[in-house]
């Protein structure tokens, strides 16, 4: 039978949330617990069963329903928890909180010893940290997927701009959004005109059968005219309503109500505002030329693209630990760029990557988002820089990006052995400065996305006082390699942050008309 140490390691090294819940349940079983439920806590209060043994398997519960008092992170007591079709005794509970936000909970359905309860409490900080870390990684991946869905959503929404009359445009928008969000019912109301149209509802329902905050829906819409997503304080004796997505068009004063939406697209603030804007455009389009509308759609899509891509770009990186001090900058030539850089520093190692997608603008930036997702969410062992380069290369080759390629430098510094392992794929030679002399770190590997390659990994010993400079070809747009070495030698006594900023200030005299993306990282050991 697996030891507690082995099971704890399995939970710590879990690749995703499901693996963690499985490993965590095995750890509790090994400790002697035989009846328990593991809950994932969403939004700080909503609990969903995700694992356990002989416990609750289905349903959603409020965190207070499973014993949380609002203060204590654990309790010992006894009460009955009512599931959909059966009851479960609860004798104790532990709540796992990370940065003031609840992320995981455990209910025990059998009496437990004090020592077992203390063991579960001791696991709570670890479980909270692990759950928060994996949820953050999942959210980043979901953000990229959500970004792609939103782009498709914007492109497909062209159907609402075809009608030539206002009422036809309104009905087209209602049908499209009801379908896109898988709404069980939908309606559109223009109160000042007495206009109503809907599916699954009658004319009197907004006034007499549906209430928000104890107000009839019709009165609520007169008081609240903005676009919003409502999922609480809804009541109706006629319908079972979990949520209402309200989209208001100030131009026509029409409000679209979508009931019990589901599906893959989440109506966050940005998307809600975009939908409201799209509806305004659709109604206005009844009197304007189709070509003008197409320009506005493209502009909305570009703005959404920039906003999402910016979330994946780190314009500055700062690391200050006992073993290294590092700083990196990534300043694109346009609103978005094709350079990517990251530094991951832990107690045992430092992982570094700087890559350059060929080209500029949105097309290059899209590949930059892909690159960050593959590297940061690929669940890699950062020690294996060859595996990381292989993954990126295979992804590019499989997707066949029509001549697009990426140059990159991937490095792993082992703080115990002082060895730097690196793979350079068609990238500018990284400069290692030691006692005033420079060592160029490069290899004969071709860029990523060109062909299948058995990537060559090299190693170099790092000594205290060494300086590592990683950069993209945008830097060489402004200075030769020899002059760059001279500049670094002159600036080497400065901090990494001072070096990166000084180089940018000295080399890029006109940032508004910057010729290429300017990306570099300085690491001092």
């Amino acid at each position: 039978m697996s030891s507690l140490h082995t099971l704890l390691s399995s939970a710590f090294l879990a690749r995703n949330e499901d693996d963690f819940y499985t490993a965590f349940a095995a750890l509790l079983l090994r400790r002697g617990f035989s009846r328990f439920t593991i809950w994932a806590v969403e939004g700080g209060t909503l609990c969903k069963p995700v694992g356990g043994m002989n416990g609750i398997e289905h349903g959603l519960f409020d965190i207070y329903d499973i014993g949380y008092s609002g203060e204590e992170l654990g309790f010992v007591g006894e009460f009955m928890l009512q599931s959909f079709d059966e009851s479960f005794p609860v004798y104790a509970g532990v709540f796992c909180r990370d940065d003031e936000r609840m992320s995981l909970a455990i209910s025990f359905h059998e009496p437990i010893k004090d020592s077992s309860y203390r063991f579960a409490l001791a696991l709570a900080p670890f479980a909270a940290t692990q759950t928060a870390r994996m949820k953050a990684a999942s959210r980043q991946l979901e953000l990229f997927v959500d970004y792609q869905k939103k782009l498709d959503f914007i492109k497909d929404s062209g159907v609402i701009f075809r009608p030539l009359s206002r009422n036809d445009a309104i009905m087209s928008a209602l049908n499209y959004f009801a379908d896109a969000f898988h709404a069980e019912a939908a309606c559109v109301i223009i109160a000042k005109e007495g206009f109503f149209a809907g599916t699954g509802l009658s004319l009197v329902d907004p006034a007499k059968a549906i209430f928000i905050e104890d107000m009839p829906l019709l009165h609520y819409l007169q008081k609240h005219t903005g676009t919003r997503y409502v999922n609480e304080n809804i009541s109706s004796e006629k319908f079972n309503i979990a949520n209402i997505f309200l989209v208001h068009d100030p131009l026509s004063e029409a409000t679209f109500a979508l009931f019990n939406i589901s599906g893959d697209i989440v109506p966050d603030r940005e998307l809600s505002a975009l939908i409201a804007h799209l509806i305004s455009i659709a109604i206005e389009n009844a009197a304007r030329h189709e070509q003008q509308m197409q320009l506005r759609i493209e502009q909305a899509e570009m703005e959404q693209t920039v906003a999402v891509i910016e979330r994946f770009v780190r314009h500055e990186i700062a690391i200050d630990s006992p073993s290294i001090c590092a700083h990196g900058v990534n300043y694109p030539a346009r609103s978005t760029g094709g350079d990517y850089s990251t530094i991951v520093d832990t107690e045992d190692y430092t992982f570094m990557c700087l890559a350059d997608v060929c080209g500029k603008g949105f097309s290059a930036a899209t590949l930059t988002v892909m690159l960050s997702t593959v590297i940061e969410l690929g669940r890699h062992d950062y020690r294996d820089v060859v595996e990381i380069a292989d993954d990126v290369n295979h992804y590019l080759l499989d997707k066949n990006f029509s001549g697009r390629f990426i140059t990159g430098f991937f490095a792993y510094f082992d703080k115990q052995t002082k060895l730097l392992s690196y793979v350079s794929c068609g990238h500018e030679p990284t400069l290692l400065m030691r006692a005033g002399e420079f060592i160029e770190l490069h290899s004969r590997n071709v860029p990523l996305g060109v062909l299948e390659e058995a990537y060559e990994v090299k190693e170099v010993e790092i000594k205290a006082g060494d300086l590592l400079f990683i950069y993209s070809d945008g830097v060489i747009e402004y200075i030769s390699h020899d002059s760059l070495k001279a500049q670094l030698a002159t600036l080497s006594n400065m901090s990494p942050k001072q070096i990166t900023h000084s180089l940018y200030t000295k080399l890029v005299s006109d940032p508004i008309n910057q010729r290429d993306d300017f990306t570099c990282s300085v690491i001092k050991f």
Side-chain angles (χ1 to χ4, degrees):
M1 182 176 290
S2 300
S3 68
L4 285 174
H5 182 270
T6 301
L7 292 170
L8 187 61
S9 298
S10 297
F12 182 78
L13 298 173
R15 297 167 62 88
N16 52 54
E17 290 179 73
D18 290 340
D19 288 350
F20 172 74
Y21 297 141
T22 301
F24 195 60
L27 178 62
L28 293 175
L29 281 171
R30 180 64 177 83
R31 188 60 173 78
F33 299 103
S34 60
R35 291 198 67 194
F36 58 90
T37 300
I38 299 174
W39 308 87
V41 184
E42 302 293 343
T45 60
L46 188 63
C47 299
K48 175 184 178 181
V50 292
M53 178 60 64
N54 299 318
I56 298 173
E57 298 180 356
H58 307 288
L60 295 175
F61 296 83
D62 187 88
I63 195 169
Y64 293 94
D65 292 337
I66 66 172
Y68 183 56
S69 66
E71 297 180 0
E72 299 297 328
L73 296 182
F75 73 90
V76 175
E78 182 179 354
F79 64 91
M80 297 301 294
L81 180 60
Q82 182 66 41
S83 181
F84 177 72
D85 55 358
E86 58 183 324
S87 297
F88 285 82
V90 178
Y91 292 91
V94 172
F95 303 94
C96 309
R97 184 167 58 198
D98 181 73
D99 291 336
E100 302 303 320
R101 190 174 184 86
M102 207 68 69
S103 59
L104 196 75
I106 312 162
S107 295
F108 298 97
H109 307 300
E110 61 184 351
I112 61 174
K113 298 178 181 178
D114 287 345
S115 59
S116 298
Y117 174 66
R118 290 195 298 272
F119 173 81
L121 277 178
L123 284 179
F126 155 75
T129 301
Q130 287 298 98
T131 306
R133 177 181 66 81
M134 287 181 290
K135 284 182 180 294
S138 296
R139 279 194 293 271
Q140 187 173 6
L141 181 59
E142 289 168 0
L143 181 63
F144 174 66
V145 174
D146 188 48
Y147 153 69
Q148 296 288 353
K149 291 175 181 175
K150 287 177 180 178
L151 286 186
D152 293 338
F153 178 85
I154 296 169
K155 294 173 183 176
D156 294 341
S157 66
V159 66
I160 72 174
F161 301 107
R162 295 172 186 167
L164 297 179
S165 71
R166 190 201 70 158
N167 286 358
D168 285 347
I170 289 173
M171 291 306 302
S172 177
L174 177 67
N175 293 332
Y176 173 72
F177 291 123
D179 182 64
F181 287 100
H182 304 287
E184 294 181 3
C187 68
V188 57
I189 300 170
I190 307 178
K192 69 174 183 177
E193 300 179 11
F195 180 90
F196 173 87
T199 58
L201 298 98
S202 67
L203 176 63
V204 299
D205 289 334
K208 296 184 177 181
I210 302 171
F211 299 83
I212 301 178
E213 297 177 358
D214 296 325
M215 283 185 287
L217 176 60
L218 189 60
H219 295 168
Y220 182 87
L221 296 181
Q222 292 170 348
K223 184 177 180 180
H224 304 279
T225 57
T227 294
R228 63 188 61 205
Y229 175 74
V230 182
N231 62 351
E232 57 186 13
N233 298 323
I234 304 170
S235 60
S236 175
E237 294 184 359
K238 184 176 181 180
F239 304 102
N240 182 15
I241 303 174
N243 61 69
I244 308 175
F245 183 29
L246 301 171
V247 184
H248 181 71
D249 169 38
L251 181 65
S252 64
E253 298 187 30
T255 299
F256 296 78
L258 309 177
F259 299 87
N260 290 347
I261 67 171
S262 60
D264 297 329
I265 305 176
V266 178
D268 54 29
R269 181 177 299 177
E270 294 84 359
L271 183 59
S272 298
L274 180 60
I275 291 172
H277 183 58
L278 289 174
I279 291 176
S280 294
I281 295 175
I283 296 173
E284 186 182 2
N285 187 53
R288 296 198 176 188
H289 195 275
E290 185 177 348
Q291 185 176 7
Q292 184 179 7
M293 291 299 99
Q294 183 61 35
L295 291 175
R296 293 194 182 190
I297 298 169
E298 292 175 0
Q299 181 63 35
E301 183 175 342
M302 284 170 36
E303 290 173 356
Q304 178 73 9
T305 301
V306 171
V308 174
I309 289 176
E310 277 295 297
R311 300 184 186 183
F312 288 84
V313 176
R314 299 177 64 186
H315 293 298
E316 296 213 21
I317 300 172
I319 303 290
D320 190 3
S321 68
S323 55
I324 72 162
C325 181
H327 192 266
V329 297
N330 181 358
Y331 300 143
R334 301 178 184 174
S335 57
T336 57
D339 284 358
Y340 167 78
S341 64
T342 189
I343 300 175
V344 179
D345 184 59
T346 72
E347 183 179 354
D348 300 320
Y349 69 85
T350 304
F351 172 76
M352 296 153 274
C353 171
L354 195 150
D356 182 3
V357 178
C358 71
K360 300 180 180 67
F362 289 107
S363 58
T366 301
L367 282 182
T368 302
V369 171
M370 176 279 300
L371 180 64
S372 72
T373 303
V374 172
I375 291 177
E376 297 177 17
L377 300 181
R379 315 295 186 197
H380 298 100
D381 180 349
Y382 282 122
R383 291 173 296 184
D384 195 343
V385 287
V386 170
E387 179 189 26
I388 297 174
D390 278 336
D391 283 356
V392 176
N393 188 50
H394 290 152
Y395 185 91
L396 292 172
L397 292 175
D398 288 344
K399 297 301 181 183
N400 188 20
F401 284 107
S402 301
R404 288 283 187 183
F405 62 87
I406 299 175
T407 69
F409 180 85
F410 308 86
Y412 176 91
F413 173 58
D414 189 320
K415 295 184 179 181
Q416 300 299 319
T417 65
K418 307 301 180 184
L419 287 179
L420 181 79
S421 304
Y422 66 93
V423 171
S424 182
C425 304
H427 201 69
E428 297 290 340
T430 293
L431 301 178
L432 176 62
M433 180 180 172
R434 175 176 296 162
E437 300 294 325
F438 286 91
I439 303 171
E440 293 189 356
L441 308 183
H442 53 74
S443 65
R444 292 173 294 184
N445 299 321
V446 299
L448 302 159
V450 176
L451 49 82
E452 291 284 352
E453 173 99 357
Y455 289 109
E456 174 188 21
V457 62
K458 293 186 176 181
E459 292 184 344
V460 61
E461 183 180 3
I462 298 297
K463 298 182 179 180
D466 284 357
L467 180 150
L468 194 68
F469 183 73
I470 316 171
Y471 55 102
S472 69
D473 62 4
V475 175
I476 303 304
E477 286 280 338
Y478 299 95
I479 190 172
S480 67
H481 284 95
D482 290 338
S483 297
L484 175 60
K485 293 177 182 178
Q487 284 283 352
L488 288 173
T490 302
L491 302 173
S492 61
N493 290 327
M494 295 182 175
S495 69
K497 182 176 181 178
Q498 290 172 323
I499 294 174
T500 56
H501 286 179
S502 295
L503 283 174
Y504 184 74
T505 302
K506 289 176 181 292
L507 300 181
V508 184
S509 58
D510 184 6
I512 296 177
N513 297 308
Q514 188 173 315
R515 294 197 295 268
D516 199 354
D517 301 338
F518 186 98
T519 305
C520 65
S521 296
V522 175
I523 301 95
K524 281 191 171 184
F525 300 89

